[in-house]
Amino acid sequence: MRVGLFIPCYIDQFYPRVGIATLRLLEHFCPGQVEFPTSQICCGQPMANSGCVSDARPAAERFVATFRPYDYIVAPSGSCVSMVRHHYHGLVADEAALAEVQAKTFELCEFLTDVLQIEPPAGRFPHRVGMHQSCHGLRDLRLGKSSELNVAPFNKVERLLSKLDGIEYTQPDRADECCGFGGSFAVYEEAVSCMMGRDRISDHQRAGAEVLTAGDMSCLMHLDGLIRRERRPLRVLHVAEVLVEGMGIGGA
Amino acid sequence: MKTFDHPTAAAEFVADDAHAHWHDQALWFIRAKRDKASQTLPEWEVLRERAAAIKQHTISHLGDYLEEFERNATRLGAVVHWARDAAEHNAIVHGLLRERGVRRMVKSKSMLTEECGLNPYLEQQGIEVTDTDLGEWIVQLRREHPSHIVLPAIHIKKEEVGELFHRELGTDEGATDPTYLTEAARHRLREKFLQAEAGLTGVNFGIAETGGFVVCTNEGNSDLGTSLPKLHIASMGIEKLVPRLDDLGVFLRLLARSATGQPITAYSTHYHGPRPGCELHIVLVDNGRTKLLASDDFRNSLRCIRCGACLNTCPVYRRSGGHSYAASVAGPIGSIVNPSRDAAKYHTLPFACTLCGSCGDVCPVKIDLPNQLLTWRQRIAELGLLEPSKRRLMGVAGKLLSSPRLYAFAGSAGRTVLRWAPRWLLYNRFNPWGRQRELPTPPDESFRQWHARRGRGGKS
């Protein structure tokens, strides 16, 4: 099995530690099978979500060409995976290649639980953790039940962390309210975006979280920006980082 | 002329932090009620599925069902009129009133007449129009528009209503007790009901099979407004049809639960033809709906039953208020239907959204709202209506993010600047990210640099 690791552009540039944690996890569960193809860059979502389809096309074509040879493509970002899986139609000329790539592209937690079907790993993470449900992972990829739907509850990300000793989930009001990031929304609708972010942080603080985690670093980038500006006592960690720290596989 | 844009209007709303938070909480309260109410029905998701299917079927045979509706309504003694657009609708209504010498009309809440601008038009013709839904009457007294399709005065606090009623109705100064204020409104509105020579209602559901229709209100105002006057005009968007009387149960169960968390609206009044000695006129209005019907991308937005659930759940709507959408229908569904009327005017609406998807999951008729919002963004870019700054930015981003060399260079240059630049250079009015937020702390190397170093036997 060959697993192609996709590290989204903003994680590559600003959060290499998340990329490293993701790689460590994948290497732990699929030793010798993980590759990072260096011709990758970006899934194209920033341009596509702004309506600029023609500007997104080269990125999408590159993604499909880069990752087609792999059996699985895994990324630590629900949002980018949703872009590939749900919004590439019309962007990529070779439809057969596209369908193939779409079917084997997975978000990290989804890959671990659904494809590898691992049991939640043992470890230790003695912290009060607030889980931020990133919208694209939640409602596009269905990594968990959204609060609007009346179906049986499930949450793949929480389940993955459930065997870490000492972890204590804090439950914020409004379980899955959006953080207000939304890509260029965060810039063009700055006022609403920041109000949403502050509200989300306050919800988690009221619930007693010390660590805020999510499957999407983009949400956390926005929230962390607000947290640091206001010097609030919260640490943000990607789910991959929580797992790696908890499992003690961080390496040197 | 000041052009409308959502970000500016939203920022003004958000600037009053306490009020914006109050607004957010008021609507979230309704959303939470909706959750509870929907959870009382184990078959909720099945109902949504069924409702979506019925509506989709109706829309795909809309011409046939409209004709069936017209035939049956006419058989029952109603007169059916067809209006291509807002102007035709208003002219038909005015014509009916003028021919009968009507000077005063009461209305029960109808977002369609808001859409058509009926009130100002009739007032110009010297006809007094009174909105009898309490919330809508409050906004009418304030010379405003509803900010929500179900809760038109949700943006107004009871203290403000107290001041308004003190000024307009002579209630006690400083009085804010809702019961007292409602009582005062009830007295004044009762006079209006008694004086009115015509009553206009909207239509929640038209039934093709019978030619009848249903109007849902919580205050019984449509019943009062149509029981006394001899003329009843019903303004109905052509998408409001359901095929059979049996279908109604599905929608009445979904509508109130989705809208306000009630099991059913307090009054669901069925009208089948005029009362003896009275007249019933039904005005079927297109006003852009056939344009939506013709569009593969946006057709299923015609399923909408105007419950307002997508507004209540939308984190952007809750914090920016309905007026920031500058249209009769605000929120996610408004951001889809309004650009189809005037893409240039409403080009910022599909971007007033984080694509969080909550609207799609809450929608009782399963409209794929987030998808359509995304598609609208593409259409707006194709129409050349994107802000030039965004257009340029995305052009640059597109090039940068598809060329490995450019990307690597810009990445390390960017990180270096972030690390060494003085604060004033990074945080100024040209950086909307940094007004309220810190930029990410740039690491020494990117992931790919780390990875390359590790591959060469570097320490990892």
Side-chain angles (χ1 to χ4, degrees), chain A residues 15 130 132 179 194 196-205 209-213 217 219-237, chain B residues 433 436-439 441:
Chain A
Y15 302 101
H132 174 66
C179 70
C194 290
M196 287 169 69
R198 266 194 294 272
D199 288 353
R200 197 78 285 243
I201 295 164
S202 299
D203 285 349
H204 278 290
Q205 280 193 312
E210 331 163 56
V211 172
L212 196 52
T213 192
M217 205 56 217
C219 309
L220 293 177
M221 174 170 74
H222 161 67
L223 293 172
D224 189 49
L226 291 162
I227 288 170
R228 286 192 293 127
R229 174 64 61 89
E230 298 178 3
R231 298 175 193 284
R232 302 213 204 187
L234 259 182
R235 185 160 70 114
V236 308
L237 286 179
Chain B
W433 178 276
Q436 305 183 55
R437 288 167 290 216
E438 291 297 300
L439 293 156
T441 315

Side-chain angles (χ1 to χ4, degrees), chain B residues 240-265:
Chain B
K240 290 284 182 182
L241 277 182
V242 296
R244 303 164 307 155
L245 192 59
D246 275 355
D247 300 324
L248 264 181
V250 174
F251 293 98
L252 291 178
R253 298 181 83 200
L254 286 167
L255 178 66
R257 286 182 173 89
S258 296
T260 55
Q262 294 165 272
I264 194 162
T265 327

